Amino acid sequence: MKRAYNFAPGPAVLPIEVLEETSKAVLDFNNLGISIMEISHRSKDFDALIKETQQLTLELMGLSSDDYAVLFLGGGASLQFLMVPLNFLREQADYVSTGYWSKKAIKEAQWVGKTNVVASSEEANFTYIPKDIKFTPNADYVHITTNNTIFGTQWKEIPDTGDIPLVADMSSDFLGITRDFKRFSLIYAGAQKNVGPAGVTVVVIKRKWLEEKGNPNVATMLNYSTHVKENSLFNTPPCVNIFVVNRTLKWIKKQGGVEAVYQTNLKKANLLYDFFDANSDFWITPVKNKEDRSLMNIVVNLPTPELENKFVEEAKSKHNMTNLKGHRSVGGIRVSSYNACPIEWIEDLVKFMEEFTKENR
Ligand SMILES: *Cc1c(COP(=O)(O)O)cnc(C)c1O
């Protein structure tokens, strides 16, 4: 099998060994003679798998199961845009608007209650991360999007929200950067960028916050308490997807954990940014402030849209380098370099960029 270079923003590349293990488990899970697609979510073997996956998540994040619960839910990160305010927006909540996905989260919160957009970088087309934000005293929570998948910015420093609980959409940098996860009361991430396939969303929630502040008057399936009480087995979870997350987390652990994966992500991103900065007459990075640049989604422009199209087409036709086109709302070029993207792919891509520069500058 020949693998294409896949720089897709999500669903995205997974480690080949995870795909191989999954293909085996699709035929026969744990030598039971039963596929992971066929097994009961109430079986002993599946129960062990989901518990191990929860434990691995917490271990990689440096969190304890006494303090945090891990859920594997359907509905994508997009459902979390609604579940968070349904459960926690009682009076008012603060949101920071740093891009397309933040805006979607804000829109859902507005269905529920008073939503304060306390900072936004929209006036500069989301090319930076707002600093020195004044949060609303007594806000129920602050919501941020740690990595902005489309605009290529990322929070490197987490803002100090004092006593106000912090909630984060980490869909596109989950376990890809070292963070003090204890500072968050709730973290959610669609698995399909860094830790698995589409169809499962990882939710890590502080038990005490839910017990003390969670709204009890929320319909069953949308109530976090339902899922926490049943250890993420209230209804049939996405079993195959959880298997893939399990194996991807094991792969991260084998690399040396989040810190090791982060160091590689940093190297990969710097190969690109250093090249762009050295050739800034031709490779134009919209995110000028270096500390705001995303390690996961590296966005760049060429002098004209025609050149950008030519680059994307030649990358594909000459080297089978796929999915380099920027999001339809912003255009340009975007390299998504998530956890499982090998550093060799980025090295090869930079080589091609050098050639392309010589021929087209
Ligand atoms: C991809 C993405 C989403 C959307 O996730 P779904 O699982 O498709 O709902 C939300 N937030 C961020 C930051 C994303 O990158």
Side-chain angles (χ1 to χ4, degrees), residues 75-79 81 101 145 147 149 169 171-172 190 192-193 201 338:
S78 298
L79 184 60
F81 296 162
W101 296 111
T145 312
N147 184 75
T149 323
D169 175 359
S171 292
S172 51
Q192 69 270 26
K193 276 124 192 180
T201 304
Y338 296 126

Side-chain angles (χ1 to χ4, degrees), residues 133-183:
I133 304 166
K134 298 270 176 295
F135 298 104
T136 312
N138 307 323
D140 293 314
Y141 60 87
V142 171
H143 180 283
I144 64 170
T145 312
T146 51
N147 184 75
N148 298 285
T149 323
I150 291 171
F151 295 94
T153 62
Q154 185 175 22
W155 297 76
K156 303 287 170 53
E157 296 287 331
I158 295 306
D160 183 0
T161 60
D163 293 337
I164 312 172
L166 184 57
V167 174
D169 175 359
M170 292 197 183
S171 292
S172 51
D173 69 2
F174 188 55
L175 307 187
I177 180 168
T178 303
R179 295 199 187 277
D180 182 1
F181 294 105
K182 289 187 209 69
R183 289 182 55 191

